[in-house]
Amino acid sequence: GVIGGFNKERVIHSPAKGILHNVCKITDIVTKGETIAVIKTNDGDIRVSATIDGILRGLIRDGYPVTQGFKIADIDPRKDEYQNCFTISDKARCIAGGVVEAIMQLKGERGL
């Protein structure tokens, strides 16, 4: 969704296949264009830059293998939303609730 006037710009996807190495960490305040990670590929290193100014709310762990287009980071333009770095999103909470309901429904149908 739109947060602080930004939508898809908040999410950063891997520009290439390789191994992700973090330069920044979750909770860091970043500026547009700042290098937040580097992807080591067979053809060399590729910088991954912040797409907007904000707080780094999500970032794939250091050393993780990524494919091109893989979601690797999320920036929240609301720099004062530090606590959001330690919670799950409303969307994730809704999905989790749906999974719990489905499990409970299945258990009820099977008499478990």
Side-chain angles (χ1 to χ4, degrees), residues 37-51:
V38 173
I39 298 175
K40 298 212 178 270
T41 72
N42 291 335
D43 298 324
D45 295 351
I46 298 177
R47 285 180 346 117
V48 178
S49 302
T51 51

Side-chain angles (χ1 to χ4, degrees), residues 7 15 23 28 49-50 58 91:
N7 188 358
V23 173
D28 282 354
S49 302
K91 182 174 159 184

Side-chain angles (χ1 to χ4, degrees), residues 44-93:
D45 295 351
I46 298 177
R47 285 180 346 117
V48 178
S49 302
T51 51
I52 60 173
D53 295 349
I55 188 166
L56 195 56
R57 182 171 176 196
L59 183 64
I60 295 296
R61 69 177 167 83
D62 191 64
Y64 195 82
V66 296
T67 56
Q68 185 171 359
F70 192 82
K71 179 182 173 183
I72 57 174
D74 185 353
I75 299 173
D76 189 332
R78 303 168 297 175
K79 296 175 189 170
D80 58 341
E81 294 291 331
Y82 178 80
Q83 286 303 317
N84 283 341
C85 295
F86 307 101
T87 61
I88 63 172
S89 68
D90 292 340
K91 182 174 159 184
R93 192 179 317 275

